[in-house]
Structures are given as structure tokens and as C-alpha cells.
Amino acid sequence: MSDNKKRPPKNKTFIDSFRYAFEGVRTVFQEERNMRSHMFSFVAVILLSLFLPLSLHEWLWILLVSFLMIIMEILNTVIENIIDFISPDYHPLAKKVKDMAAAAVLFTSFFALVTGAVILLPKIFAILKIYQ
């Protein structure tokens, strides 16, 4: 490796690790519209859940699928960026990899939607019956 292309030093402190991680969070929010949509949904579901009588297990499921959705979107972005870096021109295999990463996000979002519906809809319907 030439001197003018040295890698930055590894995290020297625990604080550096957090700083770089938050830099990654900021980057994905700035560059990915879907991440902003997922975060909006995440906040909306959490706020709605605060007003519903959820059990501890229901909270854990809501939090699991919510964070899993965010994590999958980050991984999808990572995969897309790596593919763009190693294959800047169109290549059918690059397209397949990107499509499969997007499919993982799609299935995770479906899982999150079903989980949220199973947990939240009966509670919402129960509250609406009270006020009718």
C-alpha cells in the first residue's frame, strides 16, 4: 500500500467505535430514503404501542421486528455499496445480488407487518369498540 493511501488507524478507544458507528447511522439516513421511511414507521409503531396495553412479550416482539427491519435496511445498503464499488458498470450478477438483498428487506418488512398486525390490531379494535 502506498504512503498516500494509508488506511485510517483502527479504533483506538471505545469512544472511537461509537463515533464511527454513529457516523454510519448518519450516512445511511442521509443517503437512503428507505431508511428514513423505515425509521418513520419505527417511531410511529413505538408511539402507538405506548398507548396500548402491551405485555412484556408483545413489546419484545414489536422491538425485535422493528430493530430487525432497521438492521436489514442497513445491511442492504452495505451490500449495494459494496457491489457498486466492485462492479461500477452494470453486470447481471451484481443485479442479482442487489435484488436478493432487497428481497431480504422485503421479507423482513412483511414479517414486521404481520407481527405488528397480530399484536396491535386486536388491541386497537378493542379500544375502538369501547368508544363506539
Side-chain angles (χ1 to χ4, degrees):
M1 189 176 265
S2 66
D3 286 336
N4 61 350
K5 294 206 178 197
K6 285 186 179 178
R7 290 183 180 184
K10 196 124 168 85
N11 302 345
K12 295 198 183 238
T13 67
F14 191 64
I15 300 296
D16 285 343
S17 298
F18 277 101
R19 190 176 76 235
Y20 295 138
F22 284 114
E23 209 171 288
V25 170
R26 189 187 73 219
T27 299
V28 76
F29 275 98
Q30 288 174 343
E31 296 180 5
E32 292 298 320
R33 174 184 40 83
N34 288 342
M35 177 56 92
R36 293 188 294 274
S37 298
H38 292 306
M39 187 50 77
F40 175 80
S41 298
F42 174 82
V43 170
V45 166
I46 297 302
L47 289 175
L48 173 64
S49 297
L50 289 172
F51 295 100
L52 298 173
L54 299 184
S55 70
L56 176 62
H57 291 103
E58 290 169 330
W59 266 110
L60 291 173
W61 276 104
I62 293 293
L63 291 171
L64 172 68
V65 297
S66 298
F67 279 101
L68 186 60
M69 191 65 246
I70 300 297
I71 291 164
M72 288 306 297
E73 187 61 49
I74 291 169
L75 289 175
N76 180 52
T77 301
V78 168
I79 290 167
E80 287 180 348
N81 283 324
I82 290 170
I83 295 302
D84 289 344
F85 178 73
I86 61 176
S87 182
D89 296 325
Y90 175 82
H91 191 282
L93 286 177
K95 180 188 181 322
K96 280 184 181 181
V97 171
K98 285 179 159 188
D99 289 350
M100 287 185 278
V105 174
L106 179 66
F107 274 89
T108 305
S109 64
F110 181 71
F111 174 54
L113 183 66
V114 169
T115 303
V118 166
I119 293 171
L120 301 178
L121 285 180
K123 295 180 184 313
I124 292 169
F125 292 153
I127 289 172
L128 292 177
K129 266 189 184 175
I130 293 171
Y131 294 112
Q132 288 181 351

